[in-house]
């Protein structure tokens, strides 16, 4: 009935989910954290070595900075959460074959509040640009 191993479900989290959780813990901390500190901030029954592996992978991908902290390392994200999300959104937009269709669908699916925010932000961007050059 409640067996997490039946039907192909193992009860284990996907790597992407673990990476997202680790990044969220680091963003919330606003300071570098050791693997032990990250582990303390994550939910679930994770092994210390699992957290070390995820931190190492994120560092190898260029998503984390690390510096010596005692016998180990302390980790900090390269970008804040908003910047990271913007980079991911831009990457998805670049992969689409019909940029106009993707942007149109995105805008059509925005909430009224998000649409108003986007209009305001675009207005601010447009007001800051000059065709006269620097």
């Amino acid at each position: 009935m409640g067996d997490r191993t039946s039907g192909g479900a193992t009860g284990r989290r996907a790597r992407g989910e673990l990476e997202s959780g680790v990044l969220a813990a680091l963003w919330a901390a606003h300071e570098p954290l050791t693997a032990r500190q990250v582990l303390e901030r994550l939910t679930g029954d994770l092994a210390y070595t699992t957290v070390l592996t995820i931190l190492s992978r994120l560092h190898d991908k260029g998503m984390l900075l690390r510096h010596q902290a005692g016998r180990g390392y302390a980790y900090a994200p390269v970008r804040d959460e908003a910047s990271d999300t913007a980079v991911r959104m831009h990457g998805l937009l670049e992969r689409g074959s019909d940029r106009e269709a993707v942007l149109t669908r995105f805008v059509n699916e925005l909430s009224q509040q998000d649409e108003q925010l986007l209009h305001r932000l675009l207005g601010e961007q447009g007001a800051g640009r000059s065709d006269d050059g620097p």
Side-chain angles (χ1 to χ4, degrees):
M1 289 179 205
D3 184 2
R4 295 172 64 114
T5 60
S6 65
T10 63
R12 296 178 62 177
R13 289 187 254 187
R15 183 187 316 169
E17 184 181 342
L18 287 172
E19 288 180 356
S20 294
V22 167
L23 283 169
L26 290 167
W27 284 321
H30 302 290
E31 64 184 3
L33 298 177
T34 64
R36 178 79 48 209
Q37 291 169 320
V38 171
L39 178 62
E40 291 168 356
R41 287 163 171 79
L42 296 174
T43 59
D45 187 25
L46 292 173
Y48 175 76
T49 54
T50 300
V51 174
L52 277 175
T53 299
I54 296 300
L55 288 166
S56 180
R57 286 182 180 155
L58 289 169
H59 177 262
D60 290 347
K61 291 179 181 181
M63 297 178 73
L64 298 181
L65 301 172
R66 72 179 179 194
H67 62 76
Q68 198 72 38
R71 293 175 42 210
Y73 293 101
Y75 297 84
V78 170
R79 294 182 292 265
D80 63 23
E81 184 176 12
S83 296
D84 185 69
T85 301
V87 166
R88 290 177 193 220
M89 290 171 65
H90 189 341
L92 290 170
L93 183 60
E94 290 296 317
R95 282 192 272 163
S97 60
D98 187 345
R99 190 180 195 99
E100 184 175 345
V102 172
L103 285 171
T104 300
R105 179 70 52 93
F106 177 76
V107 170
N108 286 339
E109 294 183 10
L110 289 174
S111 69
Q112 184 176 2
Q113 293 84 2
D114 286 343
E115 186 175 346
Q116 290 170 353
L117 175 60
L118 185 57
H119 277 291
R120 182 177 61 80
L121 293 171
L122 289 171
E124 290 172 5
Q125 289 289 324
R129 291 186 180 155
S130 171
D131 291 343
D132 298 333

